[in-house]
């Protein structure tokens, strides 16, 4: 009995430790929501699941230490629903971020982003809604992500050839410069002037505002696509951690169930092996 309690207590302590990286992943997403991705509703499911695992594991640990069957029942049922919720969140995360990717550009190290590649998903509809995009646009502008792109080499601004070799983030590429197809001429990181030829047919070419550093391409579809690409990258990283933790949680949960059943058999003074079989189906012939 004592060994089983020690095992259950250890498993609950392990579950408590597993809740820390989940909670950390939610906090990391929250940090990116405030400073980078600017989408502030996606991190809450991860944080809630992490806190729930932490609280439930403490209840299970207390139940194992004090042999409180009610707390153990609570732990097993609550953990079952938490595992189901984590599975649902992982499936949801991959479903809403499974579409779209950056488009390679000739002689450029960075990618261009098109909103058409992400259209038709719940996440795209949510991000591009006028009321929600207004908040995202303000967040991007206030984060100074475009202003921070500026680089100097010994006091000399970087040239176009150097800029073309930079690997820009999706938001930098989509929001801080016009699409490459527009044919604008590079002056500096956030100042692109119209070329001698005609401007491209992409509607974003007319939305690009190089005269206003507070506007730039924040109303462009490419900017919305850049936000979606950044969200996809963040969610995929968090989902990999969640999948690993989910596998460990399922193993821990199965072992905890077996240990709990073992405790119940001992509490009920149930025999094992052949003795248990003889008790359930007693023979009339005894040797």
């Amino acid at each position: 009995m004592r060994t089983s309690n020690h095992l259950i207590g250890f498993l609950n302590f392990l579950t408590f430790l597993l809740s820390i990286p989940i909670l950390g992943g939610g906090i990391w997403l929250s940090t990116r929501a405030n400073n980078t991705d600017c989408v502030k509703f996606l991190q809450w499911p991860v944080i809630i699941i992490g806190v729930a695992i932490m609280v439930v594991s403490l209840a299970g640990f207390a139940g194992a230490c004090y042999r409180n069957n009610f707390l153990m029942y609570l732990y097993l049922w609550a953990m079952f629903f938490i595992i189901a919720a984590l599975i649902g969140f992982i499936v949801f995360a991959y479903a809403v971020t499974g579409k779209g990717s950056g488009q390679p550009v000739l002689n450029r190290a960075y990618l261009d982003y098109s909103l058409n590649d992400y259209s038709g998903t719940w996440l795209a509809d949510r991000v591009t809604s006028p009321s929600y995009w207004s908040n995202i646009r303000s967040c991007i502008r206030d984060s100074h992500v475009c202003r921070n792109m500026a680089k100097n080499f010994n006091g000399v601004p970087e040239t176009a050839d150097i800029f073309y070799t930079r690997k820009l983030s999706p938001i930098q590429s989509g929001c801080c410069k016009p699409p490459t197809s527009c044919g604008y001429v590079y002056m500096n990181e956030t100042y692109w002037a119209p070329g001698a030829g005609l401007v491209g047919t992409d509607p974003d070419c007319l939305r690009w505002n190089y005269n206003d550093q507070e506007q730039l391409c924040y109303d462009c579809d490419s900017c919305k696509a850049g936000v979606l690409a950044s969200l996809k990258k963040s969610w995929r990283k968090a989902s990999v951690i969640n999948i690993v933790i989910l596998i460990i949680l399922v193993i821990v949960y199965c072992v905890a169930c077996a240990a709990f059943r073992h405790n119940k058999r001992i509490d009920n003074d149930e025999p094992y092996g052949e003795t248990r079989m003889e008790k359930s189906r007693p023979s009339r012939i005894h040797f």
Side-chain angles (χ1 to χ4, degrees), residues 120-187:
T121 64
W122 173 85
L123 187 59
D125 293 340
R126 174 89 181 198
V127 168
T128 58
S129 63
S131 59
Y132 208 82
W133 180 251
S134 176
N135 295 329
I136 297 175
R137 180 182 56 196
S138 299
C139 173
I140 295 174
R141 183 179 62 248
D142 295 341
S143 68
H144 305 300
V145 62
C146 295
R147 184 182 302 174
N148 294 334
M149 288 175 58
K151 285 187 176 182
N152 291 314
F153 297 92
N154 296 324
V156 179
E158 67 178 347
T159 62
D161 291 336
I162 297 177
F163 180 81
Y164 295 154
T165 62
R166 291 177 60 176
K167 293 184 177 180
L168 304 178
S169 70
I171 291 180
Q172 287 176 333
S173 177
C175 304
C176 304
K177 67 172 188 61
T180 305
S181 61
C182 295
Y184 282 91
V185 178
Y186 173 90
M187 298 297 176

Side-chain angles (χ1 to χ4, degrees), residues 92-235:
F92 172 77
Y94 274 91
V96 300
T97 60
K99 192 176 180 181
S101 60
Q103 302 172 348
V105 183
L106 183 64
N107 298 325
R108 304 289 190 273
Y110 52 78
L111 304 175
D112 273 359
Y113 296 87
S114 173
L115 186 58
N116 291 331
D117 295 336
Y118 299 88
S119 61
T121 64
W122 173 85
L123 187 59
D125 293 340
R126 174 89 181 198
V127 168
T128 58
S129 63
S131 59
Y132 208 82
W133 180 251
S134 176
N135 295 329
I136 297 175
R137 180 182 56 196
S138 299
C139 173
I140 295 174
R141 183 179 62 248
D142 295 341
S143 68
H144 305 300
V145 62
C146 295
R147 184 182 302 174
N148 294 334
M149 288 175 58
K151 285 187 176 182
N152 291 314
F153 297 92
N154 296 324
V156 179
E158 67 178 347
T159 62
D161 291 336
I162 297 177
F163 180 81
Y164 295 154
T165 62
R166 291 177 60 176
K167 293 184 177 180
L168 304 178
S169 70
I171 291 180
Q172 287 176 333
S173 177
C175 304
C176 304
K177 67 172 188 61
T180 305
S181 61
C182 295
Y184 282 91
V185 178
Y186 173 90
M187 298 297 176
N188 62 37
E189 291 83 357
T190 58
Y191 184 85
W192 298 65
L198 297 176
V199 176
T201 58
D202 191 327
D204 285 346
C205 299
L206 299 178
R207 297 187 183 113
W208 166 253
N209 192 333
Y210 60 92
N211 289 323
D212 187 357
Q213 293 294 300
E214 297 296 320
Q215 184 68 23
L216 297 179
C217 216
Y218 296 148
D219 285 325
C220 297
D221 287 344
S222 63
C223 188
K224 298 172 183 178
V227 171
L228 290 168
S230 183
L231 285 173
K232 178 179 180 179
K233 186 177 181 180
S234 300
W235 269 41

Side-chain angles (χ1 to χ4, degrees), residues 72-94:
M72 287 305 303
Y73 272 120
L74 178 65
Y75 163 76
L76 292 176
W77 277 107
M79 190 57 66
F80 172 80
F81 288 112
I82 288 174
I83 290 175
L86 187 57
I87 292 174
F89 176 75
I90 292 173
V91 172
F92 172 77
Y94 274 91

